[in-house]
Amino acid sequence: MHRQTQSSLLKFLYLLLVAALLVPLAACNSKAESVSFMVFGDPAEYAAYQTLVDAFQAEHPEIAIELIHIPSQSDYRKRMAADLAAGTPADVLLINYRRYADFAAQGALEPLGEYLAQSELIAEGDFYPQAITPFIWNGELMCIPQNLSSLVVYYNRSLFDQADIPYPANDWTWQDFLSTAQALTLDTDGDGATDQFGLGMEPSLIRLAPFLWQGGAELVDNAEFPTRLMLETPEALRAVQFFVDLSATYHVVPNLEEEAAEESESRFINGTLAMFFNSRRGVPTYREITAFEWDVAPLPQDAERASVLHADGYCLPSASQHKDAAWVFIEFANSPQGQTIIAGTGRTVPSLVAVAESPAFLDPSLPPANSQVFLNELPYIRTLPVVPNWADIEEMAGEELARAFYGQTTVEDAILSAIRRTAIYFGANE
């Protein structure tokens, strides 16, 4: 019994010693401030942000980043809006420049101008002005832009080669674009059904806008303080008709049923769609393609040359209880080190001039080989309005545009309906 008692006592003392040693370590770890960071995107995009978080944690063990991933963009926007309304948002949010005005108007976002002014890692002059300007609301910088992608045409080089069709030129026209899409829309097995489409493109305002501008039209009456859509002008009618005819007349894009059966992006990835419109965000996913080679080209041109901005910013909710720690992460993410990490994953066109013009972004050994296209388009890039309710305006107008695109109504009727249905949302901004 004595030996057993002695053995038990020794075990107890050993466990007590281990516990004593672990207490200081646990106390040290408990000092790490937790910051939540919410993102959206497919698995490849999520992996890109995880790489960024891992690099930050290595340099800042005193701040623990909780990465919250919402795959669907629409689900992300709903979750974000609900969380902000409830006062329980993540500490750092990625918000598109077309979406943040609602939250800024409600006072739900913390202005970041003073934070940036005091930073020793980054300064406003380090960023492309095309990236910074859309995130200025009522004279205040609301979010730090992580990217400034233009809309481009992703194309399957292998399908072009098989059809002996030249790759898109830097100065190709609407007619060149249409002819190329027609030549690459094929019934490959002769059963009367299209097996390969020349083009994939969603019928939305952000896809239509460049065609309007290229054709000499405007989307709204005043870019800064819009009061209505301007889709009924002769120039706008011509641009909308060309856009709609790609589907309704020429059938170079999947129809409504075909798109529902398999989305255009999936068709592009699977090698049965020759050209696809997207921003830079698709690159991490497309880099997983092994069955064919692909690259990017600028949008076709008409009377003018124009593209449309796609940009997300790191935003700090006013309700965050960890503002200083959240800023440390935002600052790191948008420093040359942080943007180089994300650029290496293919996810972004960096908003920092030095990173965008470096091999981290322009490396031709990684697809797309022609990443320079994104930078070449910067002088021609335009923004959609930054006003509250713009998301509702886009949704309403997009529904009407889709009806014409898929042959359910005329262009004229779709335009009039879009103007009428969106009037209430413009009025709410006055």
Side-chain angles (χ1 to χ4, degrees), residues 29-204:
N29 288 339
S30 69
K31 292 180 181 178
E33 189 168 4
S34 180
V35 170
S36 52
F37 172 39
M38 194 165 79
V39 300
F40 64 88
D42 56 31
E45 290 182 86
Y46 170 69
Y49 289 116
Q50 186 62 63
T51 301
L52 175 68
V53 168
D54 291 344
F56 175 80
Q57 298 279 208
E59 293 215 1
H60 293 276
E62 77 282 4
I63 300 174
I65 302 296
E66 177 193 2
L67 184 58
I68 304 170
H69 177 229
I70 311 295
S72 163
Q73 281 197 61
S74 61
D75 289 345
Y76 177 88
R77 290 196 293 267
K78 292 174 184 175
R79 163 77 178 271
M80 178 176 62
D83 288 352
L84 285 167
T88 57
D91 297 299
V92 179
L93 297 169
L94 274 177
I95 309 181
N96 191 278
Y97 78 95
R98 295 146 49 220
R99 309 288 188 218
Y100 83 88
D102 278 322
F103 309 122
Q106 297 163 13
L109 300 179
E110 186 79 7
L112 296 180
E114 291 188 11
Y115 285 92
L116 182 59
Q118 296 173 17
S119 174
E120 296 182 359
L121 291 181
I122 50 177
E124 184 172 332
D126 298 336
F127 295 84
Y128 286 104
Q130 295 96 325
I132 282 282
T133 301
F135 286 101
I136 296 175
W137 170 262
N138 288 343
E140 299 247 39
L141 180 63
M142 301 306 300
C143 307
I144 306 298
Q146 72 150 351
N147 59 65
L148 75 163
S149 176
S150 56
L151 181 64
V152 297
V153 180
Y154 288 81
Y155 66 96
N156 183 323
R157 290 168 57 103
S158 301
L159 292 183
F160 275 70
D161 291 343
Q162 291 168 20
D164 196 25
I165 293 175
Y167 301 144
N170 288 333
D171 59 350
W172 62 332
T173 66
W174 283 7
Q175 186 55 53
D176 297 331
F177 169 63
L178 173 59
S179 298
T180 299
Q182 289 178 300
L184 290 166
T185 300
L186 304 171
D187 172 11
T188 57
D189 56 13
D191 66 352
T194 301
D195 305 295
Q196 174 183 299
F197 286 93
L199 176 66
M201 180 172 59
E202 64 183 34
S204 63

Side-chain angles (χ1 to χ4, degrees), residues 16-33:
L16 190 63
L17 176 62
V18 170
L21 291 173
L22 289 177
V23 166
L25 180 60
C28 179
N29 288 339
S30 69
K31 292 180 181 178
E33 189 168 4

